[in-house]
Amino acid sequence: MATTLEPAKAGLSGTIEPAERAPASDRLARILAPTIIALLVVLGWEAIVRLNDIPHYILPGPSLVARELVESWPVLWPSLLITVKIATLALLAAILGGVGLALLCSLSRWIEIALFPYAVVLQVTPVVSIAPLILIYVDNTLSAVVLCAWIVAFFPILANTMLGLASADHNLRDLFELYGASRWQQLCLLRLPTALPYFLGGLRIAGGLSLIGAVVAEYVAGTAGTGTGLAFRVLEAQYRLNIPRMFAGLLLLALTGVAIYLIFGALSHLLLHRWHESAVRRER
Amino acid sequence: MSLATAPSGLARDGANGRFAEPLVRLERVGKTFANGTVALAGLDLAIGRHEFVSLLGPSGCGKSTALRLIAGLARPTSGRILGPEGAPRGAVGFVFQEPTLLPWATVFDNVWLPLRLQGVSRRQALGPVGEALAMVGLAEFAAAYPRELSGGMKMRVSIARALVTRPSLLLMDEPFAALDEITRLRLNDDLLDLWRAQSWTVVFVTHSVYESVYLSTRVVVMAPRPGRVVADLPIEAPWPRDEAFRTSPAYNALCRRVSAELHRAMGA
Ligand SMILES: Nc1ncnc2c1ncn2[C@@H]1O[C@H](COP(=O)(O)OP(=O)(O)OP(=O)(O)O)[C@@H](O)[C@H]1O
Ligand SMILES: [Mg+2]
C-alpha cells in the first residue's frame, strides 16, 4: 500500500511546508510604495505653502506641523492615551455586546426577531444626534463618551458574528447531528470556528469605528466635559486659531486609526492563515 | 483490537446475499423537496444485517437522498422507514459525497471528531485515529490541514473519520469517485476485508458497475424521475474476492447483467 502512495506524497510535500510569508522583495515594495506617495504629498504640500507664501494660520506646511507635533507632544500624548482608552473600552464593550447578542440570537429565533430591529435602529441613528442626549442623561462624561463610541462600533460586530454563526456548512451540521452532538458541542466545535473569520472582519470595521465614535463624542462633549482627549485638543486648538496644532492632532488621530487597522489585520492573519481562504497565500 | 483483524463472531453466507434480519427497511418511501422536485417515489428497499448493498443509478436519481433518509438526516414525505433507530451514537458511519471536513482542524482533529463528540479525549483517541489514518494511507499527514491535501486525500480523511467509530452500519456516498484506479482498488479490498472481519452492514453508492459487482452481496439499480428501484440483483459470487475474481468469466457475466439493467433504467 505504501508503494501506491509514494508519488502522491512526493508531489504534495512542497505544499505541506507551511506557506511562508510573501517574498522579501514583495514585502519591501509593500512598504516602499505608500512611503513614496507620502513623501510626494509632503513635498508637494511644503512646496505649495512656500511658493505661495500661505500664512501658517491658514495652511501650515508639513515642517511646521512636525515641529508643532514635537513641541506640543507633552500635551498631545496624554490626550491621545485618553482617546485610545475611550476607543478601547468602547470596542471591548462592543465585542462583549455584539458577540453576546449574536449568541443569544443564534440560540433562539424569537430573541433575534424581538431584538434585532432595535440594533438596527441604534445603527442607523447618527451618533452626533444622540450624543448630546446621552451627555445629558449620563453624569460621568467618560462613560457617556464611551457609550457613544460603543453605539457606533457594536453593530458591525453583531451583524458579522450573526452571519458567521448561521453560516456553518449544512453537511457538517448533519455530521454533528449524526454523532449526537449537543448544542454546546455544535456551538464550540462548529459554529464558533465558522464565525471566527466573519467576526474578525467585523472587528476590523469596528476598530476604526470605535475611534471615530470616540472622536465624534468628544467633539460633542466639547469643553462642557472634563474631557481632555485628542479630539478635544483639536477643538481647543481651533478656538485658539492654532492651526498647526490642529493638523498635528489630526495627524496623530489618523496614525492611530491606521495602527488599529494594522493590529486587527495582523490578528486576523495570525488566527486564520493556516486554514481560511482569505488569509492563505495562493500557490501558483 | 485492530480495525482490520477483529474476529468475526458470525458465520457469513456470502454466496447468498439474502440475510434473515433486516436492519433498515424503506417502505413506499417518497421524498419531495420544498421546491417541488420529486427525488424519490415509492421506494422499497430492505437492507439485511451484514449485507453489502450497492446503490447504482444515473446522476440525479436520488441515491444521495436515499442514503440521507436511511441515516435519519432527512425525513421522508411519504412512506416510512424502519431504521436503525435507537442505535447508539457512532453506530452509523456516513461518508458524504463531498469530503465535508472542518477546514480549521488538522487531519487528526477531523478524524478525532466523532470520538470527541462522544467524550473521548485526545490521548485516548490517539490509537483509533492512528489506525483509521493508516487504513487510508494518510498516517503521515495527521498534522496537515485539509486545504493542504488533494481532493482524493480529503476524501480518504473523510472515510477514516467514518471508520474511526467502527460503525455497525456504514453509509458511503461515492467514496472512491475522486481516487485514482490503484488507490481505489486497494481501498475496495481494504473495505471488503473490514466488512468481512467486522460485523458490518454497508450501503454503498457508486456510479461504477464494476465496483458495485466486485464489492456487493446485492446491487440495487435505481432509475430517475422519480427515483425508484428498478432492479435488485444478488451478486452470488464466492468470497474472498480478489484479482482472480476480477478477471473471471463469472465477474464479467455479472457486470454485463448489471450494466444491462442500468441501461434499461437510463434508457426507458
Ligand atoms: N436540497 C434539495 N432541494 C431540492 N432538490 C434537491 C435537493 N437535493 C437533491 N435534490 C434533487 O433531488 C434529486 C436527487 O438528488 P440526489 O442528490 O439524491 O441524486 P444522486 O442520485 O445522489 O445524484 P449524483 O449521482 O449526481 O450524486 C435531484 O433531481 C436533485 O435535483
Ligand atoms: Mg449523490
Side-chain angles (χ1 to χ4, degrees):
Chain A
M1 96 174 209
T3 47
T4 63
L5 277 159
E6 271 335 311
K9 267 181 232 150
L12 254 136
S13 56
T15 55
I16 288 295
E17 243 63 285
E20 259 316 311
R21 284 192 268 154
S25 61
D26 192 50
R27 253 180 293 161
L28 193 66
R30 266 166 195 281
I31 298 169
L32 220 54
T35 312
I36 289 172
I37 297 288
L39 271 178
L40 286 178
V41 168
V42 166
L43 287 178
W45 178 0
E46 187 75 40
I48 290 170
V49 169
R50 297 217 170 180
L51 291 177
N52 297 323
D53 267 335
I54 300 178
H56 66 80
Y57 51 83
I58 291 179
L59 180 63
S63 56
L64 189 61
V65 171
R67 185 161 5 112
E68 179 63 30
L69 188 61
V70 173
E71 275 170 12
S72 55
W73 187 254
V75 183
L76 293 180
W77 175 246
S79 300
L80 175 67
L81 289 185
I82 288 174
T83 302
V84 167
K85 182 175 134 196
I86 292 168
T88 309
L89 285 174
L91 187 61
L92 284 177
I95 292 171
L96 283 180
V99 174
L101 193 56
L103 282 175
L104 274 180
C105 289
S106 83
L107 275 182
S108 146
R109 249 176 61 74
W110 282 109
I111 297 180
E112 178 181 343
I113 289 169
L115 292 184
F116 197 72
Y118 300 101
V120 176
V121 167
L122 267 188
Q123 159 73 4
V124 296
T125 314
V127 71
V128 255
S129 60
I130 346 177
L133 288 174
I134 291 177
L135 281 157
I136 292 173
Y137 298 125
V138 180
D139 289 338
N140 181 330
T141 320
L142 180 71
S143 311
V145 172
V146 169
L147 187 60
C148 292
W150 173 81
I151 288 174
V152 183
F154 136 97
F155 192 77
I157 292 189
L158 172 70
N160 275 30
T161 310
M162 273 177 68
L163 180 64
L165 287 172
S167 293
D169 181 85
H170 282 226
N171 278 341
L172 280 172
R173 281 196 224 174
D174 286 343
L175 186 80
F176 274 69
E177 195 183 310
L178 191 72
Y179 289 116
S182 64
R183 278 184 86 130
W184 177 247
Q185 285 175 321
Q186 279 212 29
L187 182 69
C188 294
L189 298 176
L190 180 61
R191 283 166 176 268
L192 285 178
T194 307
L196 184 66
Y198 295 82
F199 165 75
L200 290 169
L203 193 60
R204 265 206 219 193
I205 302 171
L209 283 181
S210 67
L211 185 67
I212 293 177
V215 167
V216 169
E218 276 182 36
Y219 264 91
V220 175
T223 45
T226 51
T228 44
L230 201 54
F232 172 77
R233 292 290 174 210
V234 172
L235 207 58
E236 184 188 54
Q238 186 195 346
Y239 290 145
R240 295 180 187 168
L241 286 180
N242 187 348
I243 309 299
R245 188 182 278 193
M246 275 186 81
F247 270 94
L250 287 178
L251 182 66
L252 267 185
L253 278 175
L255 289 178
T256 310
V258 171
I260 290 174
Y261 183 81
L262 289 179
I263 286 169
F264 287 131
L267 181 70
S268 233
H269 184 81
L270 193 73
L271 291 175
L272 302 181
H273 74 114
R274 283 306 298 266
W275 64 275
H276 196 253
E277 307 294 347
S278 70
V280 161
R281 201 161 63 85
R282 285 182 73 194
E283 307 254 355
R284 289 180 191 258
Chain B
M1 66 177 176
S2 124
L3 271 174
T5 57
S8 164
L10 290 136
R12 185 178 303 289
D13 179 12
N16 187 338
R18 300 282 168 185
F19 296 82
E21 198 184 343
L23 182 67
V24 185
R25 190 200 297 278
L26 284 73
E27 288 174 355
R28 314 292 312 154
V29 164
K31 176 74 183 175
T32 306
F33 285 102
N35 64 2
T37 309
V38 182
L40 297 172
L43 182 82
D44 277 311
L45 184 63
I47 292 159
R49 224 171 265 281
H50 316 313
E51 273 194 290
F52 195 123
V53 178
S54 286
L55 296 184
L56 191 66
S59 177
C61 74
K63 305 181 295 293
S64 298
T65 308
L67 215 56
R68 289 173 51 82
L69 287 171
I70 294 173
L73 293 174
R75 273 177 222 299
T77 34
S78 65
R80 60 180 189 151
I81 299 174
L82 305 170
E85 285 148 45
R89 290 206 283 177
V92 179
F94 200 105
V95 179
F96 291 88
Q97 197 166 355
E98 297 85 34
T100 313
L101 303 175
L102 304 173
W104 53 82
T106 59
V107 165
F108 181 96
D109 287 351
N110 266 291
V111 178
W112 173 33
L113 181 73
L115 297 175
R116 190 179 188 182
L117 293 173
Q118 290 163 24
V120 177
S121 77
R122 199 190 174 83
R123 263 195 24 183
Q124 290 171 306
L126 281 176
V129 171
E131 278 173 34
L133 282 177
M135 272 263 346
V136 296
L138 287 176
E140 276 130 279
F141 288 92
Y145 282 80
R147 59 165 301 276
E148 298 165 333
L149 304 178
S150 72
M153 292 163 88
K154 280 184 224 173
M155 211 55 218
R156 283 186 277 156
V157 175
S158 125
I159 294 168
R161 180 180 61 193
L163 295 180
V164 81
T165 56
R166 293 163 202 207
S168 53
L169 174 61
L170 185 58
L171 307 172
M172 306 177 95
D173 199 347
E174 300 184 34
F176 305 143
L179 300 179
D180 64 279
E181 188 76 12
I182 293 169
T183 310
R184 177 164 61 230
L185 295 184
R186 187 177 63 70
L187 284 174
N188 276 348
D189 287 334
D190 287 350
L191 181 62
L192 276 189
D193 287 347
L194 274 169
W195 169 72
R196 281 165 57 77
Q198 319 262 352
S199 41
W200 284 359
T201 309
V202 180
V203 182
F204 187 94
V205 171
T206 177
H207 278 147
S208 160
V209 170
Y210 305 101
E211 195 174 52
S212 69
V213 171
Y214 184 71
L215 292 172
S216 316
T217 58
R218 228 171 105 204
V219 175
V220 172
V221 182
M222 291 176 66
R225 268 164 292 278
R228 63 201 185 278
V229 173
V230 290
D232 194 333
L233 306 162
I235 304 298
E236 294 169 349
W239 303 89
R241 293 177 183 171
D242 51 20
E243 215 36 56
F245 173 57
R246 232 191 274 275
T247 49
S248 69
Y251 176 72
N252 277 320
L254 283 166
C255 287
R256 267 199 303 278
R257 259 192 74 195
V258 172
S259 199
E261 290 293 348
L262 185 60
H263 271 104
R264 246 167 27 112
M266 294 176 77

